[in-house]
mmCIF file of all heavy atoms in Angstrom:
data_model
loop_
_atom_site.group_PDB
_atom_site.id
_atom_site.type_symbol
_atom_site.label_atom_id
_atom_site.label_comp_id
_atom_site.label_asym_id
_atom_site.label_seq_id
_atom_site.Cartn_x
_atom_site.Cartn_y
_atom_site.Cartn_z
ATOM 1 N N ASP A 1408 105.241 105.997 21.035
ATOM 2 C CA ASP A 1408 106.198 104.891 21.061
ATOM 3 C C ASP A 1408 107.534 105.239 20.410
ATOM 4 O O ASP A 1408 108.159 104.388 19.802
ATOM 5 C CB ASP A 1408 105.571 103.672 20.361
ATOM 6 C CG ASP A 1408 104.287 103.224 20.992
ATOM 7 O OD1 ASP A 1408 104.288 103.011 22.213
ATOM 8 O OD2 ASP A 1408 103.287 103.078 20.276
ATOM 9 N N THR A 1409 107.975 106.463 20.568
ATOM 10 C CA THR A 1409 109.172 106.913 19.875
ATOM 11 C C THR A 1409 110.384 106.051 20.188
ATOM 12 O O THR A 1409 111.212 105.767 19.305
ATOM 13 C CB THR A 1409 109.488 108.377 20.268
ATOM 14 O OG1 THR A 1409 108.324 109.174 20.036
ATOM 15 C CG2 THR A 1409 110.652 108.917 19.461
ATOM 16 N N PHE A 1410 110.520 105.592 21.441
ATOM 17 C CA PHE A 1410 111.706 104.820 21.844
ATOM 18 C C PHE A 1410 111.362 103.406 22.302
ATOM 19 O O PHE A 1410 112.230 102.731 22.875
ATOM 20 C CB PHE A 1410 112.443 105.545 22.992
ATOM 21 C CG PHE A 1410 112.949 106.915 22.622
ATOM 22 C CD1 PHE A 1410 112.340 108.051 23.111
ATOM 23 C CD2 PHE A 1410 114.026 107.049 21.770
ATOM 24 C CE1 PHE A 1410 112.793 109.308 22.775
ATOM 25 C CE2 PHE A 1410 114.513 108.296 21.438
ATOM 26 C CZ PHE A 1410 113.903 109.441 21.929
ATOM 27 N N TYR A 1411 110.168 102.951 22.037
ATOM 28 C CA TYR A 1411 109.764 101.639 22.550
ATOM 29 C C TYR A 1411 110.724 100.541 22.108
ATOM 30 O O TYR A 1411 110.984 100.346 20.909
ATOM 31 C CB TYR A 1411 108.344 101.317 22.091
ATOM 32 C CG TYR A 1411 107.790 100.042 22.683
ATOM 33 C CD1 TYR A 1411 107.104 100.071 23.890
ATOM 34 C CD2 TYR A 1411 107.982 98.810 22.086
ATOM 35 C CE1 TYR A 1411 106.597 98.934 24.476
ATOM 36 C CE2 TYR A 1411 107.486 97.653 22.648
ATOM 37 C CZ TYR A 1411 106.795 97.723 23.843
ATOM 38 O OH TYR A 1411 106.298 96.556 24.404
ATOM 39 N N GLY A 1412 111.254 99.795 23.066
ATOM 40 C CA GLY A 1412 112.154 98.684 22.757
ATOM 41 C C GLY A 1412 113.538 99.092 22.361
ATOM 42 O O GLY A 1412 114.361 98.251 21.980
ATOM 43 N N SER A 1413 113.865 100.395 22.430
ATOM 44 C CA SER A 1413 115.191 100.870 22.062
ATOM 45 C C SER A 1413 116.202 100.506 23.137
ATOM 46 O O SER A 1413 115.862 100.415 24.330
ATOM 47 C CB SER A 1413 115.154 102.400 21.865
ATOM 48 O OG SER A 1413 116.463 102.905 21.707
ATOM 49 N N ALA A 1414 117.452 100.349 22.720
ATOM 50 C CA ALA A 1414 118.559 100.096 23.663
ATOM 51 C C ALA A 1414 119.261 101.379 24.075
ATOM 52 O O ALA A 1414 120.300 101.340 24.723
ATOM 53 C CB ALA A 1414 119.549 99.132 23.038
ATOM 54 N N VAL A 1415 118.681 102.537 23.744
ATOM 55 C CA VAL A 1415 119.317 103.800 24.036
ATOM 56 C C VAL A 1415 119.495 103.958 25.563
ATOM 57 O O VAL A 1415 118.634 103.585 26.338
ATOM 58 C CB VAL A 1415 118.515 104.989 23.448
ATOM 59 C CG1 VAL A 1415 117.162 105.162 24.133
ATOM 60 C CG2 VAL A 1415 119.320 106.277 23.475
ATOM 61 N N GLU A 1416 120.653 104.532 25.951
ATOM 62 C CA GLU A 1416 120.961 104.719 27.372
ATOM 63 C C GLU A 1416 120.916 106.174 27.789
ATOM 64 O O GLU A 1416 120.580 106.485 28.930
ATOM 65 C CB GLU A 1416 122.354 104.133 27.650
ATOM 66 C CG GLU A 1416 122.443 102.633 27.421
ATOM 67 C CD GLU A 1416 123.852 102.113 27.555
ATOM 68 O OE1 GLU A 1416 124.793 102.924 27.731
ATOM 69 O OE2 GLU A 1416 124.050 100.891 27.495
ATOM 70 N N THR A 1417 121.316 107.083 26.872
ATOM 71 C CA THR A 1417 121.383 108.500 27.209
ATOM 72 C C THR A 1417 120.717 109.321 26.085
ATOM 73 O O THR A 1417 120.991 109.111 24.907
ATOM 74 C CB THR A 1417 122.856 108.964 27.326
ATOM 75 O OG1 THR A 1417 123.495 108.192 28.350
ATOM 76 C CG2 THR A 1417 122.928 110.460 27.689
ATOM 77 N N ILE A 1418 119.804 110.237 26.485
ATOM 78 C CA ILE A 1418 119.157 111.118 25.520
ATOM 79 C C ILE A 1418 119.332 112.569 25.972
ATOM 80 O O ILE A 1418 119.052 112.897 27.136
ATOM 81 C CB ILE A 1418 117.649 110.811 25.405
ATOM 82 C CG1 ILE A 1418 117.426 109.324 25.052
ATOM 83 C CG2 ILE A 1418 117.009 111.699 24.326
ATOM 84 C CD1 ILE A 1418 115.977 108.920 25.061
ATOM 85 N N HIS A 1419 119.786 113.410 25.062
ATOM 86 C CA HIS A 1419 119.937 114.826 25.331
ATOM 87 C C HIS A 1419 118.742 115.593 24.731
ATOM 88 O O HIS A 1419 118.541 115.545 23.518
ATOM 89 C CB HIS A 1419 121.241 115.367 24.717
ATOM 90 C CG HIS A 1419 122.474 114.674 25.195
ATOM 91 N ND1 HIS A 1419 123.341 115.278 26.065
ATOM 92 C CD2 HIS A 1419 122.981 113.448 24.921
ATOM 93 C CE1 HIS A 1419 124.350 114.453 26.316
ATOM 94 N NE2 HIS A 1419 124.156 113.322 25.637
ATOM 95 N N PHE A 1420 117.985 116.289 25.574
ATOM 96 C CA PHE A 1420 116.846 117.066 25.089
ATOM 97 C C PHE A 1420 117.156 118.557 25.141
ATOM 98 O O PHE A 1420 117.774 119.042 26.104
ATOM 99 C CB PHE A 1420 115.610 116.804 25.963
ATOM 100 C CG PHE A 1420 114.916 115.506 25.667
ATOM 101 C CD1 PHE A 1420 115.162 114.383 26.472
ATOM 102 C CD2 PHE A 1420 114.035 115.371 24.624
ATOM 103 C CE1 PHE A 1420 114.520 113.188 26.232
ATOM 104 C CE2 PHE A 1420 113.393 114.184 24.347
ATOM 105 C CZ PHE A 1420 113.635 113.076 25.153
ATOM 106 N N PRO A 1421 116.641 119.321 24.159
ATOM 107 C CA PRO A 1421 116.805 120.773 24.192
ATOM 108 C C PRO A 1421 115.631 121.426 24.930
ATOM 109 O O PRO A 1421 114.627 120.778 25.233
ATOM 110 C CB PRO A 1421 116.800 121.154 22.717
ATOM 111 C CG PRO A 1421 115.829 120.139 22.133
ATOM 112 C CD PRO A 1421 116.038 118.862 22.905
ATOM 113 N N LYS A 1422 115.728 122.723 25.136
ATOM 114 C CA LYS A 1422 114.639 123.470 25.759
ATOM 115 C C LYS A 1422 113.533 123.787 24.758
ATOM 116 O O LYS A 1422 112.411 124.118 25.123
ATOM 117 C CB LYS A 1422 115.195 124.784 26.331
ATOM 118 C CG LYS A 1422 114.197 125.572 27.161
ATOM 119 C CD LYS A 1422 114.843 126.809 27.775
ATOM 120 C CE LYS A 1422 113.852 127.568 28.634
ATOM 121 N NZ LYS A 1422 114.456 128.754 29.296
ATOM 122 N N SER A 1423 113.849 123.670 23.488
ATOM 123 C CA SER A 1423 112.943 124.140 22.396
ATOM 124 C C SER A 1423 111.668 123.341 22.240
ATOM 125 O O SER A 1423 110.689 123.815 21.644
ATOM 126 C CB SER A 1423 113.705 124.124 21.053
ATOM 127 O OG SER A 1423 114.199 122.808 20.810
ATOM 128 N N ILE A 1424 111.610 122.109 22.757
ATOM 129 C CA ILE A 1424 110.443 121.250 22.545
ATOM 130 C C ILE A 1424 109.219 121.800 23.243
ATOM 131 O O ILE A 1424 109.217 122.055 24.458
ATOM 132 C CB ILE A 1424 110.731 119.822 23.010
ATOM 133 C CG1 ILE A 1424 111.838 119.198 22.176
ATOM 134 C CG2 ILE A 1424 109.458 118.957 22.928
ATOM 135 C CD1 ILE A 1424 112.325 117.846 22.621
ATOM 136 N N ILE A 1425 108.137 121.988 22.482
ATOM 137 C CA ILE A 1425 106.878 122.525 23.047
ATOM 138 C C ILE A 1425 105.744 121.526 22.987
ATOM 139 O O ILE A 1425 104.712 121.727 23.618
ATOM 140 C CB ILE A 1425 106.467 123.829 22.307
ATOM 141 C CG1 ILE A 1425 106.279 123.580 20.816
ATOM 142 C CG2 ILE A 1425 107.487 124.923 22.548
ATOM 143 C CD1 ILE A 1425 105.741 124.797 20.065
ATOM 144 N N SER A 1426 105.915 120.448 22.252
ATOM 145 C CA SER A 1426 104.917 119.387 22.178
ATOM 146 C C SER A 1426 105.604 118.047 22.480
ATOM 147 O O SER A 1426 106.450 117.606 21.709
ATOM 148 C CB SER A 1426 104.272 119.347 20.812
ATOM 149 O OG SER A 1426 103.268 118.365 20.731
ATOM 150 N N PHE A 1427 105.237 117.459 23.629
ATOM 151 C CA PHE A 1427 105.996 116.345 24.167
ATOM 152 C C PHE A 1427 105.049 115.296 24.772
ATOM 153 O O PHE A 1427 104.054 115.672 25.382
ATOM 154 C CB PHE A 1427 107.014 116.837 25.213
ATOM 155 C CG PHE A 1427 107.822 115.760 25.862
ATOM 156 C CD1 PHE A 1427 108.895 115.190 25.203
ATOM 157 C CD2 PHE A 1427 107.515 115.325 27.129
ATOM 158 C CE1 PHE A 1427 109.633 114.195 25.804
ATOM 159 C CE2 PHE A 1427 108.256 114.347 27.758
ATOM 160 C CZ PHE A 1427 109.333 113.784 27.101
ATOM 161 N N ASN A 1428 105.378 114.015 24.635
ATOM 162 C CA ASN A 1428 104.554 112.930 25.166
ATOM 163 C C ASN A 1428 105.409 112.010 26.023
ATOM 164 O O ASN A 1428 106.348 111.368 25.507
ATOM 165 C CB ASN A 1428 103.926 112.178 24.011
ATOM 166 C CG ASN A 1428 102.880 111.163 24.459
ATOM 167 O OD1 ASN A 1428 102.832 110.789 25.639
ATOM 168 N ND2 ASN A 1428 102.060 110.726 23.524
ATOM 169 N N VAL A 1429 105.108 111.916 27.292
ATOM 170 C CA VAL A 1429 105.862 111.072 28.215
ATOM 171 C C VAL A 1429 105.787 109.595 27.833
ATOM 172 O O VAL A 1429 106.689 108.823 28.131
ATOM 173 C CB VAL A 1429 105.348 111.296 29.663
ATOM 174 C CG1 VAL A 1429 106.040 110.333 30.633
ATOM 175 C CG2 VAL A 1429 105.595 112.712 30.098
ATOM 176 N N ASN A 1430 104.709 109.216 27.153
ATOM 177 C CA ASN A 1430 104.549 107.789 26.787
ATOM 178 C C ASN A 1430 105.639 107.282 25.890
ATOM 179 O O ASN A 1430 105.782 106.063 25.714
ATOM 180 C CB ASN A 1430 103.188 107.605 26.115
ATOM 181 C CG ASN A 1430 102.022 107.817 27.016
ATOM 182 O OD1 ASN A 1430 102.173 107.720 28.247
ATOM 183 N ND2 ASN A 1430 100.883 108.118 26.486
ATOM 184 N N MET A 1431 106.411 108.174 25.305
ATOM 185 C CA MET A 1431 107.509 107.726 24.429
ATOM 186 C C MET A 1431 108.556 106.907 25.205
ATOM 187 O O MET A 1431 109.351 106.193 24.609
ATOM 188 C CB MET A 1431 108.194 108.901 23.747
ATOM 189 C CG MET A 1431 108.997 109.784 24.660
ATOM 190 S SD MET A 1431 109.877 111.087 23.766
ATOM 191 C CE MET A 1431 108.524 112.042 23.117
ATOM 192 N N PHE A 1432 108.539 107.014 26.552
ATOM 193 C CA PHE A 1432 109.501 106.278 27.367
ATOM 194 C C PHE A 1432 108.974 104.951 27.860
ATOM 195 O O PHE A 1432 109.624 104.301 28.702
ATOM 196 C CB PHE A 1432 109.948 107.133 28.541
ATOM 197 C CG PHE A 1432 110.749 108.341 28.149
ATOM 198 C CD1 PHE A 1432 110.215 109.625 28.297
ATOM 199 C CD2 PHE A 1432 112.002 108.196 27.567
ATOM 200 C CE1 PHE A 1432 110.977 110.724 27.921
ATOM 201 C CE2 PHE A 1432 112.737 109.303 27.205
ATOM 202 C CZ PHE A 1432 112.226 110.580 27.383
ATOM 203 N N ASP A 1433 107.811 104.564 27.387
ATOM 204 C CA ASP A 1433 107.272 103.275 27.802
ATOM 205 C C ASP A 1433 108.138 102.144 27.252
ATOM 206 O O ASP A 1433 108.290 101.990 26.057
ATOM 207 C CB ASP A 1433 105.830 103.125 27.305
ATOM 208 C CG ASP A 1433 105.182 101.868 27.810
ATOM 209 O OD1 ASP A 1433 105.569 101.389 28.918
ATOM 210 O OD2 ASP A 1433 104.265 101.370 27.136
ATOM 211 N N TYR A 1434 108.698 101.366 28.106
ATOM 212 C CA TYR A 1434 109.582 100.250 27.803
ATOM 213 C C TYR A 1434 110.826 100.707 27.011
ATOM 214 O O TYR A 1434 110.973 100.439 25.823
ATOM 215 C CB TYR A 1434 108.866 99.123 27.030
ATOM 216 C CG TYR A 1434 109.741 97.891 26.899
ATOM 217 C CD1 TYR A 1434 110.203 97.219 28.041
ATOM 218 C CD2 TYR A 1434 110.127 97.406 25.666
ATOM 219 C CE1 TYR A 1434 111.018 96.110 27.934
ATOM 220 C CE2 TYR A 1434 110.950 96.289 25.559
ATOM 221 C CZ TYR A 1434 111.384 95.656 26.697
ATOM 222 O OH TYR A 1434 112.194 94.539 26.588
ATOM 223 N N VAL A 1435 111.694 101.368 27.739
ATOM 224 C CA VAL A 1435 113.054 101.689 27.267
ATOM 225 C C VAL A 1435 113.979 101.144 28.357
ATOM 226 O O VAL A 1435 114.501 101.901 29.170
ATOM 227 C CB VAL A 1435 113.242 103.194 27.053
ATOM 228 C CG1 VAL A 1435 114.553 103.481 26.305
ATOM 229 C CG2 VAL A 1435 112.056 103.809 26.297
ATOM 230 N N PRO A 1436 114.203 99.834 28.370
ATOM 231 C CA PRO A 1436 114.787 99.167 29.553
ATOM 232 C C PRO A 1436 116.201 99.573 29.908
ATOM 233 O O PRO A 1436 116.603 99.446 31.070
ATOM 234 C CB PRO A 1436 114.712 97.681 29.168
ATOM 235 C CG PRO A 1436 114.619 97.658 27.666
ATOM 236 C CD PRO A 1436 113.862 98.893 27.318
ATOM 237 N N GLN A 1437 116.972 100.069 28.943
ATOM 238 C CA GLN A 1437 118.369 100.412 29.235
ATOM 239 C C GLN A 1437 118.605 101.897 29.470
ATOM 240 O O GLN A 1437 119.743 102.336 29.657
ATOM 241 C CB GLN A 1437 119.256 99.910 28.109
ATOM 242 C CG GLN A 1437 119.312 98.375 28.020
ATOM 243 C CD GLN A 1437 120.164 97.885 26.859
ATOM 244 O OE1 GLN A 1437 119.816 96.968 26.135
ATOM 245 N NE2 GLN A 1437 121.329 98.476 26.654
ATOM 246 N N LEU A 1438 117.528 102.652 29.488
ATOM 247 C CA LEU A 1438 117.666 104.094 29.666
ATOM 248 C C LEU A 1438 118.245 104.442 31.032
ATOM 249 O O LEU A 1438 117.749 104.007 32.076
ATOM 250 C CB LEU A 1438 116.293 104.782 29.524
ATOM 251 C CG LEU A 1438 116.279 106.306 29.568
ATOM 252 C CD1 LEU A 1438 117.108 106.877 28.403
ATOM 253 C CD2 LEU A 1438 114.855 106.833 29.537
ATOM 254 N N GLU A 1439 119.337 105.230 31.026
ATOM 255 C CA GLU A 1439 120.014 105.596 32.261
ATOM 256 C C GLU A 1439 120.005 107.109 32.526
ATOM 257 O O GLU A 1439 119.923 107.534 33.687
ATOM 258 C CB GLU A 1439 121.487 105.141 32.233
ATOM 259 C CG GLU A 1439 121.641 103.612 32.192
ATOM 260 C CD GLU A 1439 123.077 103.193 32.060
ATOM 261 O OE1 GLU A 1439 123.961 104.101 31.963
ATOM 262 O OE2 GLU A 1439 123.347 101.972 32.069
ATOM 263 N N LYS A 1440 120.108 107.901 31.465
ATOM 264 C CA LYS A 1440 120.210 109.355 31.641
ATOM 265 C C LYS A 1440 119.321 110.088 30.643
ATOM 266 O O LYS A 1440 119.342 109.803 29.446
ATOM 267 C CB LYS A 1440 121.660 109.822 31.443
ATOM 268 C CG LYS A 1440 122.639 109.387 32.508
ATOM 269 C CD LYS A 1440 124.000 109.985 32.222
ATOM 270 C CE LYS A 1440 125.009 109.598 33.311
ATOM 271 N NZ LYS A 1440 126.350 110.195 33.050
ATOM 272 N N ILE A 1441 118.577 111.081 31.166
ATOM 273 C CA ILE A 1441 117.851 112.042 30.351
ATOM 274 C C ILE A 1441 118.456 113.392 30.704
ATOM 275 O O ILE A 1441 118.255 113.909 31.803
ATOM 276 C CB ILE A 1441 116.346 112.018 30.640
ATOM 277 C CG1 ILE A 1441 115.780 110.609 30.360
ATOM 278 C CG2 ILE A 1441 115.630 113.064 29.796
ATOM 279 C CD1 ILE A 1441 114.328 110.453 30.777
ATOM 280 N N ILE A 1442 119.215 113.959 29.800
ATOM 281 C CA ILE A 1442 119.934 115.217 30.033
ATOM 282 C C ILE A 1442 119.154 116.347 29.400
ATOM 283 O O ILE A 1442 118.871 116.314 28.180
ATOM 284 C CB ILE A 1442 121.348 115.122 29.458
ATOM 285 C CG1 ILE A 1442 122.105 113.949 30.100
ATOM 286 C CG2 ILE A 1442 122.102 116.442 29.673
ATOM 287 C CD1 ILE A 1442 123.452 113.671 29.487
ATOM 288 N N LEU A 1443 118.775 117.357 30.182
ATOM 289 C CA LEU A 1443 117.854 118.381 29.714
ATOM 290 C C LEU A 1443 117.917 119.628 30.577
ATOM 291 O O LEU A 1443 118.380 119.574 31.722
ATOM 292 C CB LEU A 1443 116.453 117.828 29.669
ATOM 293 C CG LEU A 1443 115.694 117.613 30.993
ATOM 294 C CD1 LEU A 1443 114.238 117.296 30.711
ATOM 295 C CD2 LEU A 1443 116.303 116.527 31.838
ATOM 296 N N PRO A 1444 117.381 120.759 30.100
ATOM 297 C CA PRO A 1444 117.284 121.976 30.925
ATOM 298 C C PRO A 1444 116.232 121.774 32.016
ATOM 299 O O PRO A 1444 115.193 121.183 31.763
ATOM 300 C CB PRO A 1444 116.879 123.052 29.941
ATOM 301 C CG PRO A 1444 117.121 122.483 28.582
ATOM 302 C CD PRO A 1444 116.940 121.019 28.719
#
C-alpha cells in the first residue's frame, strides 16, 4: 500500500529496483504517468 489514496500524478522509477510489488498502485486515482526504463 505504498501509494494507497495518494494524489500523486507522476512517479519516476530507476532501473535499480530489484524487489517490487505491483499492489502498491492499488487505488491511486490521480496517477497519470509512470516514468521508467
